[in-house]
Each structure stands twice: as structure tokens, then as C-alpha cells.
Amino acid sequence: VLYIAAGPSLDDNIEWIKQNHNKFFIVTIGAAYKKLLLNDIHIDIISTLDQDFKILNEKQFDDESVKKIPRNTIIFASNMTNEKILKKFTQ
């Protein structure tokens, strides 16, 4: 299992992750998944605990980005996650 979060170390290690992602079950947080998708890195689980709709909708789970999440990716969301965000995942 490779757990990936956002931050400088993600940028520092993105090439290594690209080369090795098929060797791992990838778990990431909502703040990092878009960068992984942009680099063609598969994601098995995305987790989110945030509840602020505006931040989540604008920065993490905008409609265009949500459409790019593969159907087999599991999303773990907090019970505090705004219902409007949760409805985006019903597909």
C-alpha cells in the first residue's frame, strides 16, 4: 500500500511514483488525487474528511475532475462531507 498525501514530497517523488505505481495499492487524499490523475497514476482509494462545500467543490472535487476518477476507484468520505459533494460520487 502506498499512501499519498499532498505536499512538497509529492512533487519531489512524482516521477518515482509514475514508474512504480503498478506495484502498489494506491490510497490518496482528496487534495492529491488530481495530480496523480494528471500523471496517469492509478488510484485505488480516495479519502476525504473535509466538510466545506466551497473549498471541496472549487479545489478538490470540481465536476470536471470528478468525471476523470475511474469507476473502480473507491471513495471514502466522512459523514461530515457536504451532501452536494457526496451526490457527485453516486455515478
Side-chain angles (χ1 to χ4, degrees):
V1 175
L2 185 61
Y3 189 83
I4 301 173
S9 64
L10 177 56
D11 291 331
D12 293 344
N13 294 292
I14 196 73
E15 288 302 318
W16 182 89
I17 296 168
K18 283 171 67 170
Q19 293 173 4
N20 295 286
H21 71 103
N22 288 323
K23 299 175 184 176
F24 295 94
F25 185 89
I26 306 280
V27 179
T28 191
I29 61 171
Y33 85 94
K34 292 196 291 188
K35 182 172 289 200
L36 300 179
L37 291 177
L38 285 173
N39 284 279
D40 295 320
I41 296 168
H42 82 277
I43 303 168
D44 296 292
I45 295 177
I46 299 171
S47 64
T48 180
L49 297 173
D50 298 316
Q51 62 183 342
D52 186 293
F53 175 74
K54 184 174 179 172
I55 291 172
L56 286 175
N57 194 52
E58 291 176 5
K59 297 191 180 213
Q60 291 182 19
F61 298 110
D62 57 280
D63 293 339
E64 186 175 323
S65 296
V66 169
K67 289 178 187 176
K68 294 177 183 176
I69 298 172
R71 294 184 68 77
N72 61 343
T73 299
I74 299 167
I75 300 173
F76 289 148
S78 166
N79 64 349
M80 296 184 310
T81 302
N82 187 288
E83 187 174 342
K84 292 177 187 174
I85 297 296
L86 293 176
K87 286 183 179 181
K88 291 183 177 199
F89 305 138
T90 60
Q91 315 304 325

